[in-house]
Amino acid sequence: MRPPAGGTTRLLYGAGLAAALLLPAAGPAQAEPPSRTPAALPAADGAKGQELPGMPTALDPRAEAAVCTPASKEKAKKQDWSRQRLDLDRLHRHTTGAGVTVALISTGVDPGAEGLDGRVTARGEAADDCVGQGTFLAGLIAGAGSTTPRLAGVAPGAKILALRGTDRRGQPDPALVTAAVRAATAAKADVIAVAVALPRKDAALTRAVAEARKAGAVVVAAATPDPPSRGSGDEIPSRTYWPAGEPGVLAVADMLPGGTRPDGALPTGTVDLAAPGAGVVSGGPRGKGHYLGGGVAVATAYAAGAVAAVRATHPDDPADAVTRRLTATAYPADIPQLDAYAAVTTVLGDSAAPAAGAERAAEPVAVRDTSATDRATGRATLFVLLGSAGVLSLLWAGFALSRARARGWRPAGAGTTEG
């Protein structure tokens, strides 16, 4: 998600959910790159919030020199809706993802970023995150939250292996993505998160993904790119993007607080999970402030963090079983919605394990909250028992009365008849 040029992004909190509203700021307007426009984020009622700068997905490709995203001077003071939705406070009581390495293929990650110190490996160009999105995503996966613990990532104990899958301005490159997947496999990463989506299948990338899966890595990928600038009447046909379309890859799409996909989201039939992807707070590569971001890459980062949490709590599960766990415990909807807490804590039967050679998870199993039903069943059982006791009492009274009359008993005060 990219805010209007010269503007800020205001974060509003209401009814336990955060919402984003794009507000123009005074100052000269700047041209937006044709491939990036602000995604419409949900508005919500609530108290006046705080202003946070937006995290871009890429820099202007037409500019003569890349002007890196500046440091944010603002800090979020509250937990955003996405972390509440994923129940991260409770999740962290079970696991922090310690011992798991997540390879993040994006715009790079600053190893010294706030909340990531000592847990990021980034060599060469991967340590130069000019755009800032890679560092933003790393915070969602493994950020410690720094002075705001409730803004920690899904797996704040995990390690990040930063790899560049784009040029310095954030434009995806198939050769870079392929090389990054191979580097992640060589480093024995437990999870490989590909935060970019390519429009064409690439034979070299197909082989690299297959090798990664054979080595035991869970590969998570953005199901689509973020939508480009188009006219309101344009029809965008559904298509598959890569490497999300490769066999066995967990393909992730973004969703709004209401569980729906954003307006204008690119259509595709290759989606396994939806995760929060609007009005999300995280840090960046410069300074100690926070940004507001969204999009498919954000949702992919959240799913990758959940995979890290599952791998930490179920270390003996093979990659296919981990993928199956994420989809089997997802909240049932048109597109199953990621439930990180359920993925870690739910006990699955043997039937939930994928068959040998399975490539993509089957239809998700609906995991429902039955507490209300249990309470209703308990009340109904009590009523049945009380009713049964009443019936038995009446039957016993009738039986006793008939026996007494047979023995000549009469109620007190009743008259007698002489023969």
Side-chain angles (χ1 to χ4, degrees):
M1 184 277 300
R2 190 171 187 181
T8 58
T9 305
R10 174 162 292 173
L11 184 62
L12 302 180
Y13 297 95
L17 297 180
L21 181 63
L22 299 175
L23 300 176
Q30 300 176 4
E32 281 289 315
S35 60
R36 294 292 185 271
T37 57
L41 298 177
D45 294 331
K48 182 179 179 181
Q50 56 195 321
E51 293 183 353
L52 296 174
M55 175 58 69
T57 59
L59 303 177
D60 190 343
R62 301 170 300 177
E64 293 183 5
V67 178
C68 297
T69 303
S72 170
K73 298 180 181 179
E74 305 295 331
K75 298 200 74 170
K77 299 177 179 63
K78 298 180 180 180
Q79 188 179 50
D80 63 31
W81 75 274
S82 62
R83 290 167 170 85
Q84 296 176 31
R85 182 64 168 265
L86 297 177
D87 214 353
L88 296 192
D89 289 342
R90 283 207 300 167
L91 173 67
H92 293 159
R93 298 172 196 165
H94 292 268
T95 181
T96 62
V100 176
T101 297
V102 180
L104 175 59
I105 302 174
S106 182
T107 62
V109 178
D110 178 9
E114 185 79 358
L116 293 172
D117 298 328
R119 291 182 295 112
V120 175
T121 299
R123 299 185 179 92
E125 293 183 348
D128 174 24
D129 186 12
C130 186
V131 178
Q133 189 188 44
T135 306
F136 184 94
L137 301 180
L140 300 179
I141 297 171
S146 188
T147 57
T148 314
R150 296 194 73 198
L151 290 176
V154 182
K159 295 181 179 179
I160 296 289
L161 172 61
L163 298 164
R164 182 82 76 77
T166 71
D167 63 16
R168 196 163 186 262
R169 299 171 188 244
Q171 300 299 323
D173 183 297
L176 291 176
V177 174
T178 300
V181 172
R182 287 175 175 161
T185 304
K188 298 181 179 180
D190 304 288
V191 186
I192 301 176
V194 186
V196 300
L198 303 170
R200 286 178 291 277
K201 187 178 178 68
D202 182 89
L205 180 57
T206 296
R207 290 192 295 271
V209 170
E211 291 167 1
R213 294 194 64 245
K214 185 177 180 181
V218 177
V219 182
V220 185
T224 72
D226 289 319
S229 176
R230 289 178 177 268
S232 59
D234 290 343
E235 290 288 337
I236 305 176
S238 178
R239 61 176 301 172
T240 299
Y241 296 88
W242 309 95
E246 297 293 348
V249 173
L250 186 68
V252 184
D254 52 337
M255 72 178 187
L256 303 178
T260 59
R261 293 210 65 196
D263 291 339
L266 296 177
T268 181
T270 310
V271 179
D272 295 308
L273 281 177
V280 174
V281 175
S282 189
R286 286 162 284 280
K288 298 183 178 181
H290 292 120
Y291 302 80
L292 199 66
V296 187
V298 167
T300 303
Y302 267 144
V307 172
V310 169
R311 300 223 83 166
T313 50
H314 303 274
D316 297 328
D317 284 1
D320 284 338
V322 173
T323 300
R324 174 60 182 161
R325 174 172 284 275
L326 267 291
T327 55
T329 59
Y331 184 82
D334 290 341
I335 301 177
Q337 299 169 10
L338 175 66
D339 188 335
Y341 179 76
V344 166
T345 60
T346 299
V347 177
L348 299 178
D350 293 338
S351 60
E359 295 295 353
R360 188 170 294 282
E363 289 299 316
V365 177
V367 180
R368 297 180 293 115
D369 180 1
T370 61
S371 57
T373 303
D374 293 340
R375 289 192 295 269
T377 302
R379 289 193 297 268
T381 302
L382 178 61
F383 292 148
V384 169
L385 291 174
L386 292 175
S388 299
V391 171
L392 289 173
S393 298
L394 291 175
L395 291 174
W396 173 252
F399 172 75
L401 183 61
S402 63
R403 289 294 300 271
R405 285 177 173 173
R407 294 178 179 181
W409 177 85
R410 294 289 185 272
T416 59
T417 305
E418 296 294 337

